[in-house]
């Protein structure tokens, strides 16, 4: 009888599926269940999920995420400047930091690669890379809804509807609404 143990973690840190133990890169993989348990709902909540990684909103109240990985700070808020941390959503590069202002519904896993990743991820990954992988469609009809309440009249609605498979095609739709009233 198998009692406990660790399950194998599959990551795509080197652009192909591999076991986390076989990848020679400093990578931290966080599953969707762990994100839900830690109440990670947007990119700025990724702070402290991996050693040596901090995510904060940029100065000036712009809410653009500013990454610090192993001491290298990535601002990239000036037009024409490059980021030192690249963000990928399902393998697609988000070229501006403004693309980092989004909620994270239906996330399968997040991989945070620390250290220079220019060989695999290009010039904008000198401090590291963040790869966000969303869930694949289930192929059967289902609906999932959740509501969260917070202090200061805050709330969060999330709705996901999976469509049935039609031939080789399947898909799903997600809607997320976050509202928070601050002190100002």
């Amino acid at each position: 009888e198998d009692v406990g143990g660790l399950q194998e973690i599959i990551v795509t840190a080197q652009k192909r599926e591999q076991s986390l133990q076989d990848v020679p890169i400093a990578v931290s993989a966080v599953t969707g269940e762990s994100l839900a348990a830690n109440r990670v709902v947007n990119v700025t909540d990724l702070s402290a999920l991996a050693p040596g990684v901090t995510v904060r909103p940029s100065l000036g109240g712009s809410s653009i995420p500013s990454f610090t990985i192993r001491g290298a700070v990535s601002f990239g808020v000036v037009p024409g400047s490059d980021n030192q941390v690249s963000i990928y959503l399902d393998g697609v590069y988000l070229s501006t930091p403004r693309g980092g202002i989004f909620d994270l519904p239906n996330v399968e896993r997040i991989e945070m690669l620390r250290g220079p990743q220019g060989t695999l991820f290009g010039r904008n990954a000198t401090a590291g890379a963040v790869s966000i992988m969303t869930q694949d469609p289930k192929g059967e009809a289902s609906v999932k809804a959740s509501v969260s309440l917070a202090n200061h009249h805050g709330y969060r609605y999330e709705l996901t509807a999976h469509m049935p498979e039609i031939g080789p095609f399947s898909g799903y739709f997600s809607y997320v609404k976050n509202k928070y009233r601050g002190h100002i």
Side-chain angles (χ1 to χ4, degrees), residues 9 17 33 44-45 50 85 87-88 109 117 120 128 130 138 146 148 162 173:
I9 300 172
E17 289 187 358
E33 294 85 21
T44 56
D45 290 340
V85 176
I87 301 174
Y88 290 84
R109 71 179 178 278
Q117 303 297 325
L120 294 171
V130 177
K138 294 180 182 177
S146 67
S148 301
H162 285 267
F173 301 97

Side-chain angles (χ1 to χ4, degrees), residues 82-88 93 95 118 121-129:
D82 288 332
N83 294 332
Q84 291 80 16
V85 176
S86 59
I87 301 174
Y88 290 84
Y93 174 63
S95 62
F121 292 97
R123 66 182 181 146
N124 292 343
T126 54

Side-chain angles (χ1 to χ4, degrees), residues 11-16 18-29 70 111-121 127-129:
V11 295
T12 55
Q14 292 185 313
K15 305 283 186 169
R16 62 182 183 268
Q18 291 178 287
S19 172
L20 182 59
Q21 293 182 344
D22 296 335
V23 177
I25 299 173
V27 60
S28 296
R70 292 183 171 175
E111 300 171 6
M112 300 179 118
L113 292 76
R114 299 179 304 277
Q117 303 297 325
T119 305
L120 294 171
F121 292 97

Side-chain angles (χ1 to χ4, degrees), residues 126-150:
T126 54
V130 177
S131 179
I132 303 168
M133 306 301 287
T134 59
Q135 296 174 355
D136 290 332
K138 294 180 182 177
E140 44 189 59
S142 65
V143 175
K144 177 184 172 189
S146 67
V147 176
S148 301
L149 300 174

